[in-house]
Amino acid sequence: MKSNCNENFHKMKKPVLKSWLRISTVVILGVLILNSKHSVFAQVISPQRPPIEVLGKQGEMLIGADYYPEHWPKERWETDLKLMKEAGFNVVRLAEFAWVLMEPTEGQFEFDWLDEFLALADKYEIRAILGTPTAVMPAWAARKYPETLATKKNGQQIVWGARKNNCFSNGTYRLLSERITRAMAEHFKNTPNVIGWQTDNEFAGPVCHCDRCRANFQDWLRNKYGTLEKLNTAWGTHFWGHKVQTWGEIQVPDCDSEGGNWSPSGNPSACYDWRQFNSWLNVRFQHDQVKAIRKVCPEHHFITHNLMSFHPEINYYDLGKDLDFVSWDNYPVWYKPTISYGAAMAADLMRGIKQKNFLIMEQTAGPCGWGVFYRNTRPGEIRKIAYQQLAHGADGQIWFRWRTCTAGREQYWHGLLGHDGKPLRRYKEAAQVASEYRKLEKYLRGTTVKSDVAIIYDYHSIWSLWGQPGFEGNNVRDAIARYYNAFFRAGINVDMISPEADLSKYKLVLAPDLIILPDKLADKLNDYVKNGGVLLTDCRTGVKDETNLAHKRTLPGLLSPMLGIEIEEYGAITPDMEYELKNENTFSGSYSAIHYCDWITSKGAEVLAGYEQWHLKSFAAVTRNSYGQGKGWYVGTIVKEEAFYDELISKLLEDAGIKTYIDLPIGVEASIRQGNGTKLLFLINHTEDQKKIIIPVGKKELISGEKTSESIELGIYEVAVIEL
Ligand code: GAL
Ligand code: ZN
């Protein structure tokens, strides 16, 4: 899982994300609908110019860079814009940290500087996405309204500086945010080259522990539960005498949300609600901004937000509801080059948030880091990273950042241009991508990834496992990645979906680590199989109910008849142990069980693998059961060797009647975008070796324009797009 580790590192740089850093460290140790008006494909119409569409019917795809006019002398602006134009760029994202420049004094707005930049950008036909600047409050706001500053777990108020300083419960901050948002919307609503908005920047944190947040949490709970009796039941407060008798007695639980102790002592159900509450606070904050923008701005202005892939703090399905499409920030380059499984899975999740294509709002350009920086993108890598996202449903591409800043915390977070501002290698590679995308856009229009396979990604399970992983290192992302990576190697596209999504369109559904299993969801999974679906689930699925209390049932609870098994006992396999898997003539390799094992008794299911360990000889490790028209698979352990997952996936695909269409050498990724009668096969070589792939003959490779023969050779980081 090295690639995950690399890609996760992106989130390790910020103080507000420290908690996740710690968790990750512990853990590691151990469509777009074409005609939807607000889609990324939506028409982006400037009154003074013919309509462009982001990958729409007549238009252009958005390609550009994150730009900070406030970082450079005005005299430089035109040089930059000219270079952008020459590179084939048509968009910049602006202003997301420029609050104090736009509102230097409370209630007095100065947009002239931005108007001036926008007018110049327009001259070069560069459009703009404007960020609402609320991720950094002006110093005056902190001085005048100190209550807007968040409070840490230890009761200390955050000292203004850095960014993400605010308390999301604070009414004053919400008003300040609404006012600057409204003022921007009013001011820029008719600016011809403003095409859309980014709310704030990378929502998440700080998790504030102020009195207002506590009171707000109490209100939120009152609204959720109605009576204290219900709350006490949901939280299981008969344990340790934690019964509360007034709403005011409810405290912010000790959930380790700011890092530190890996075994927080707070009530797990209270922590689970606390995480939901904090997610809701962010969603509400965004909602205020979205309302303000929609009220003022023309219909064709889109609203998006830059998500952080697997970031666990915010329920992105909820956050996404207010957005026209989601965007995300992709920083996959840190250590030794690896196969970018994580960035593919992240892209599929981002597409899954709204079941729509997405935009890359920040794409890595060069060495990244705040204090120390990591490796540079190698020749061809910028292009390869862009194509990987394109292959998974990105309908636009914005690099972070245009030019490396000479000041501030991000002096070492390198852009397309270095400190010197010269358009060198990285710039040229981005320009190459832009010109190739222009060639491809007519084929890409109206296409997205269509998958027969879905993996359920559930924030409730993430939040439950965050506080109580069960066995060491257990977390949803890694659990999913074991299977996901095998699909990647098999060249099979996967949708990452919410538990609420319609399952009926999928032939195969995986629900790894789905610890929170409300009865309704269990019924839904059972029905899916009964009606002919193939479902795989695994360790710890269904242990808990929707309040994060353990079900009073023998595992796997309501799934038992469908899976044809019972699990009366289970236990961790500690890091100093491995159990050999007993081959029941199903798998060809020899494999070892690690981390965890269910002691499974078959109640009709076929036993596909067991354990060689003396005390587990009578139990199953992997099972399959026919139920209704479908099949229920269960994997009760974690297997050390990835070859096991390759074998498993190929059997699942067979059961589900899904054919692999291409034989891939290791390190080459395949993904298909289709729609509007077009089918495009993307091939991406993630390795630094030459790779040969057998492909359909007589098709067109769209980048070179050449007809295909029976195989294609891809050099280091080389890509191909074949029209099937
Ligand atoms: C992103 C963030 C940017 C910038 C970048 C580099 O996560 O949205 O504003 O900080 O990281 O640190
Ligand atoms: Zn607060």
Side-chain angles (χ1 to χ4, degrees):
M1 225 77 60
K2 275 186 220 121
S3 60
N4 281 350
C5 164
N6 283 357
E7 284 147 12
N8 201 33
F9 190 82
H10 152 48
K11 298 305 142 209
M12 295 184 185
K13 64 198 161 34
K14 290 156 206 141
V16 290
L17 302 178
K18 259 194 204 145
S19 57
W20 184 233
L21 160 60
R22 289 207 181 89
I23 288 159
S24 311
T25 311
V26 171
V27 162
I28 286 156
L29 278 175
V31 192
L32 265 197
I33 295 154
L34 178 64
N35 45 13
S36 144
K37 64 181 183 321
H38 286 302
S39 70
V40 182
F41 291 98
Q43 292 219 337
V44 178
I45 303 162
S46 306
Q48 281 86 1
R49 68 177 80 257
I52 68 157
E53 284 181 20
V54 187
L55 273 184
K57 290 192 202 86
Q58 316 99 354
E60 308 172 309
M61 196 167 172
L62 290 183
I63 305 172
D66 297 301
Y67 191 73
Y68 299 90
E70 68 274 27
H71 291 183
W72 310 104
K74 272 188 194 171
E75 305 73 62
R76 172 74 195 194
W77 290 354
E78 188 143 14
T79 309
D80 285 335
L81 290 163
K82 211 162 156 255
L83 284 170
M84 287 182 203
K85 178 78 185 158
E86 281 164 15
F89 289 8
N90 60 4
V91 71
V92 284
R93 181 200 57 187
L94 301 172
E96 82 278 11
F97 299 121
W99 192 345
V100 74
L101 300 176
M102 296 186 283
E103 191 181 359
T105 311
E106 186 175 2
Q108 287 175 24
F109 301 99
E110 281 184 17
F111 295 119
D112 296 0
W113 64 278
L114 200 47
D115 287 340
E116 201 180 323
F117 177 78
L118 283 164
L120 201 56
D122 201 30
K123 186 171 143 197
Y124 291 92
E125 296 184 292
I126 306 279
R127 281 85 175 167
I129 300 168
L130 298 180
T132 62
T134 42
V136 182
M137 68 170 96
W140 59 253
R143 175 174 43 82
K144 275 178 98 168
Y145 309 108
E147 70 278 15
T148 56
L149 291 164
T151 300
K152 295 192 241 178
K153 194 169 174 177
N154 65 9
Q156 252 179 19
Q157 223 180 6
I158 288 182
V159 175
W160 177 85
R163 55 185 186 181
K164 289 278 169 198
N165 296 154
N166 64 287
C167 158
F168 283 99
S169 290
N170 184 273
T172 309
Y173 198 73
R174 289 178 68 196
L175 282 174
L176 292 171
S177 148
E178 234 186 293
R179 184 168 57 195
I180 181 67
T181 304
R182 211 179 323 113
M184 284 181 78
E186 284 288 357
H187 187 84
F188 295 109
K189 65 182 179 207
N190 294 323
T191 305
N193 53 338
V194 169
I195 57 171
W197 299 82
Q198 171 190 297
T199 55
D200 202 273
N201 189 72
E202 294 188 337
F203 277 120
V207 175
C208 176
H209 289 73
C210 76
D211 290 344
R212 180 68 249 160
C213 281
R214 184 164 82 100
N216 214 353
F217 182 46
Q218 291 163 353
D219 285 349
W220 183 86
L221 291 166
R222 197 199 314 250
N223 192 41
K224 176 170 178 181
Y225 292 107
T227 67
L228 279 166
E229 200 192 333
K230 282 197 181 135
L231 175 129
N232 279 304
T233 307
W235 285 14
T237 57
H238 48 294
F239 181 77
W240 279 354
H242 280 168
K243 180 172 177 178
V244 283
Q245 288 167 294
T246 69
W247 294 101
E249 283 171 4
I250 297 168
Q251 299 289 337
V252 169
D254 174 14
C255 307
D256 197 28
S257 46
E258 285 197 325
N261 179 1
W262 178 233
S263 287
S265 51
N267 176 321
S269 294
C271 288
Y272 177 74
D273 270 336
W274 173 245
R275 295 195 202 291
Q276 297 192 51
F277 165 72
N278 276 288
S279 172
W280 172 83
L281 273 183
N282 282 266
V283 172
R284 182 183 67 168
F285 185 81
Q286 174 177 266
H287 184 75
D288 293 343
Q289 294 196 350
V290 168
K291 245 172 59 188
I293 297 169
R294 294 227 194 278
K295 203 167 161 197
V296 170
C297 289
E299 274 255 296
H300 62 266
H301 278 196
F302 59 75
I303 306 179
T304 188
H305 178 73
N306 53 339
L307 310 184
M308 298 187 281
S309 61
F310 303 106
H311 187 81
E313 271 178 54
I314 316 265
N315 183 331
Y316 281 158
Y317 302 118
D318 291 346
L319 194 77
K321 280 189 189 128
D322 269 329
L323 304 172
D324 296 312
F325 54 84
V326 304
S327 303
W328 82 283
D329 299 345
N330 182 29
Y331 294 103
V333 175
W334 299 95
Y335 299 102
K336 204 167 117 185
T338 51
I339 303 167
S340 296
Y341 292 114
M345 184 164 127
D348 290 341
L349 175 61
M350 298 296 96
R351 197 183 64 251
I353 296 302
K354 288 186 76 73
Q355 307 218 330
K356 258 187 181 182
N357 286 3
F358 54 87
L359 178 71
I360 298 290
M361 193 63 92
E362 297 180 17
Q363 183 91 288
T364 204
C368 295
W370 275 9
V372 292
F373 52 82
Y374 295 83
R375 86 175 163 83
N376 197 356
T377 44
R378 298 184 180 180
E381 207 173 2
I382 285 182
R383 178 170 175 262
K384 177 209 83 160
I385 290 166
Y387 272 96
Q388 183 183 34
Q389 293 304 311
L390 186 71
H392 285 266
D395 278 341
Q397 156 66 57
I398 299 178
W399 280 281
F400 186 90
R401 46 188 285 147
W402 172 250
R403 176 175 173 184
T404 316
C405 198
T406 56
R409 204 7 86 190
E410 294 182 358
Q411 286 170 57
Y412 296 149
W413 203 287
H414 295 73
L416 291 174
L417 276 55
H419 290 133
D420 61 9
K422 290 186 186 155
L424 302 176
R425 180 185 65 91
R426 296 196 298 260
Y427 163 86
K428 287 182 187 143
E429 197 169 314
Q432 183 192 343
V433 173
S435 82
E436 290 174 2
Y437 276 24
R438 294 276 169 257
K439 271 204 263 178
L440 294 175
E441 60 195 1
K442 66 169 186 274
Y443 301 95
L444 289 162
R445 249 168 243 145
T447 65
T448 188
V449 174
K450 295 199 172 106
S451 318
D452 291 325
V453 181
I455 300 183
I456 294 177
Y457 185 85
D458 173 37
Y459 285 95
H460 298 97
S461 294
I462 291 169
W463 292 331
S464 170
L465 293 170
W466 192 344
Q468 282 186 305
F471 62 91
E472 224 177 298
N474 184 24
N475 72 89
V476 170
R477 177 177 167 180
D478 286 355
I480 290 178
R482 288 181 197 106
Y483 305 101
Y484 182 92
N485 297 358
F487 285 114
F488 179 116
R489 289 189 289 271
I492 296 288
N493 279 115
V494 172
D495 278 359
M496 301 276 285
I497 57 167
S498 139
E500 262 133 58
D502 174 17
L503 303 182
S504 66
K505 61 178 181 195
Y506 299 106
K507 294 182 178 160
L508 172 61
V509 173
L510 283 79
D513 231 355
L514 190 65
I515 191 160
I516 297 290
L517 191 69
D519 290 0
K520 245 177 88 183
L521 182 54
D523 292 345
K524 179 173 171 174
L525 297 180
N526 289 335
D527 287 348
Y528 169 71
V529 178
K530 196 185 282 168
N531 296 327
V534 177
L535 177 99
L536 176 138
T537 188
D538 68 0
C539 319
R540 310 310 292 149
T541 289
V543 170
K544 296 200 175 201
D545 68 14
E546 59 270 50
T547 66
N548 203 21
L549 295 179
H551 282 297
K552 295 175 186 134
R553 295 174 181 141
T554 304
L555 288 172
L558 297 182
L559 302 181
S560 188
M562 182 269 286
L563 294 167
I565 56 169
E566 258 183 22
I567 303 161
E568 289 175 348
E569 291 196 64
Y570 52 81
I573 306 175
T574 54
D576 51 351
M577 294 192 282
E578 281 181 18
Y579 298 163
E580 199 185 323
L581 274 193
K582 184 160 74 182
N583 195 342
E584 300 284 359
N585 301 321
T586 306
F587 295 96
S588 59
S590 54
Y591 301 119
S592 1
I594 52 171
H595 300 320
Y596 174 86
C597 61
D598 281 311
W599 302 17
I600 303 171
T601 307
S602 166
K603 299 280 173 188
E606 265 175 89
V607 177
L608 306 180
Y611 303 101
E612 290 287 2
Q613 190 70 17
W614 68 270
H615 66 291
L616 297 176
K617 276 202 179 320
S618 61
F619 296 103
V622 183
T623 59
R624 173 173 63 176
N625 190 44
S626 295
Y627 180 75
Q629 311 293 305
K631 294 219 157 60
W633 287 67
Y634 190 85
V635 179
T637 188
I638 292 173
V639 181
K640 190 170 147 194
E641 298 81 8
E642 58 181 34
F644 166 82
Y645 293 97
D646 292 332
E647 279 204 61
L648 180 80
I649 290 310
S650 83
K651 291 177 202 316
L652 280 168
L653 291 171
E654 206 180 306
D655 260 9
I658 302 168
K659 289 202 169 48
T660 52
Y661 59 90
I662 196 160
D663 250 347
L664 291 170
I666 270 293
V668 176
E669 180 179 7
S671 177
I672 291 184
R673 279 180 71 144
Q674 51 190 310
N676 275 355
T678 306
K679 206 166 179 181
L680 306 172
L681 167 65
F682 288 77
L683 293 171
I684 301 160
N685 182 3
H686 288 282
T687 74
E688 301 195 342
D689 304 312
Q690 176 104 351
K691 297 278 178 175
K692 181 175 173 181
I693 308 118
I694 309 295
I695 49 165
V697 192
K699 308 284 178 190
K700 192 171 167 197
E701 198 289 310
L702 298 175
I703 305 172
S704 63
E706 281 167 19
K707 280 262 172 280
T708 58
S709 53
E710 66 282 353
S711 72
I712 192 167
E713 298 268 348
L714 294 182
I716 301 173
Y717 298 145
E718 194 51 62
V719 302
V721 184
I722 299 164
E723 189 181 19
L724 294 176

